[in-house]
Amino acid sequence: GEDVEQSLFLSVREGDSSVINCTYTDSSSTYLYWYKQEPGAGLQLLTYIFSNMDMKQDQRLTVLLNKKDKHLSLRIADTQTGDSAIYFCAEENTGFQKLVFGTGTRLLVSP
Amino acid sequence: DGGITQSPKYLFRKEGQNVTLSCEQNLNHDAMYWYRQDPGQGLRLIYYSQIVNDFQKGDIAEGYSVSREKKESFPLTVTSAQKNPTAFYLCASSREGAYEQYFGPGTRLTVT
């Protein structure tokens, strides 16, 4: 099936690290993506990882990929209140040339 | 300034009326997509188009129609056959052969 699963909610304090998890289904995906959605806005591409990588770091963001378990995570270091948003992971459905999005994780950062 | 525009940001319609949502991109992308987002839920694919004059149904195409007469434009019509049209609608585009999608700001449609 095409279920990309994420936990619905994560709450952290400002300055802590946040880890958002995702499990995907399509082992043939070449790229996996993380998007951020602020209230009432469209999705903003945050980062992506190529399937032959285990880790990718981009400033405060670290993406970890475990292909064996089909598990993807996004770590945000030194989380700020401006990071409060919904975060979506997405896998490629290579057969139909489209992305399949997870349900989204709502991150709430408190001061 | 390249990007994707959707208009209007908010749209109100009475039940039984068709309504067309606009999506325009100047990124020279070949592929365009329409998603629906309901409160607390993820994105569901309505229709997508890989090339001009061609489009495919997504997971929830019933009650919707699209056209792709120009590369830059991919309008979505929400017909009266759509049972629960009130939602946030997002348009996206991507380059040929690439899956990385770029999103517009969305249109919130309310039907009463």
Side-chain angles (χ1 to χ4, degrees):
Chain A
E2 278 189 0
D3 271 344
V4 179
E5 296 186 351
Q6 300 179 238
S7 52
L8 289 180
F9 190 75
L10 176 64
S11 179
V12 300
R13 288 201 176 275
E14 194 172 20
D16 289 349
S17 291
S18 308
V19 179
I20 301 170
N21 294 303
C22 169
T23 54
Y24 62 96
T25 58
D26 190 344
S27 56
S28 63
S29 294
T30 306
Y31 290 96
L32 293 141
Y33 301 87
W34 282 104
Y35 284 84
K36 176 183 180 182
Q37 184 182 34
E38 297 187 3
L43 273 67
Q44 171 195 352
L45 178 64
L46 274 182
T47 188
Y48 60 88
I49 188 165
F50 190 51
S51 60
N52 70 352
M53 297 170 67
D54 298 324
M55 185 181 88
K56 179 181 178 183
Q57 188 150 1
D58 185 358
Q59 299 182 354
R60 290 191 298 123
L61 305 178
T62 303
V63 180
L64 295 177
L65 176 59
N66 180 331
K67 282 195 75 173
K68 175 175 163 291
D69 295 336
K70 296 182 191 164
H71 184 264
L72 183 71
S73 67
L74 174 69
R75 178 177 180 269
I76 305 173
D78 187 24
T79 314
Q80 304 297 307
T81 54
D83 294 324
S84 292
I86 302 175
Y87 291 81
F88 292 93
C89 65
E91 67 172 2
E92 295 170 353
N93 180 314
T94 49
F96 292 96
Q97 294 187 302
K98 61 177 185 176
L99 292 181
V100 177
F101 287 84
T103 49
T105 299
R106 184 178 295 275
L107 174 65
L108 178 64
V109 183
S110 52
Chain B
D1 221 3
I4 303 176
T5 56
Q6 291 185 243
S7 60
K9 181 123 180 98
Y10 299 96
L11 193 50
F12 298 89
R13 281 293 182 270
K14 293 287 188 190
E15 207 172 293
Q17 292 178 334
N18 291 355
V19 59
T20 298
L21 281 59
S22 165
C23 177
E24 304 276 330
Q25 54 98 0
N26 61 3
L27 299 167
N28 200 31
H29 285 173
D30 288 289
M32 297 186 75
Y33 308 80
W34 273 106
Y35 294 90
R36 170 184 172 134
Q37 186 178 26
D38 293 284
Q41 297 192 29
L43 278 67
R44 291 186 288 169
L45 183 64
I46 305 172
Y47 268 98
Y48 62 110
S49 167
Q50 300 289 340
I51 196 167
V52 173
N53 292 322
D54 189 37
F55 47 82
Q56 288 77 41
K57 290 182 180 180
D59 302 314
I60 54 163
E62 187 176 344
Y64 299 97
S65 66
V66 292
S67 62
R68 187 84 189 276
E69 296 174 3
K70 296 188 298 182
K71 188 175 183 177
E72 307 80 33
S73 178
F74 191 39
L76 173 74
T77 297
V78 184
T79 75
S80 56
Q82 168 51 233
K83 297 281 185 263
N84 297 296
T86 294
F88 189 50
Y89 290 87
L90 288 158
C91 179
S93 70
S94 66
R95 289 182 290 112
E96 180 189 6
Y99 298 92
E100 182 179 318
Q101 293 180 17
Y102 295 86
F103 283 79
T107 291
R108 186 166 299 280
L109 172 65
T110 302
V111 176
T112 57

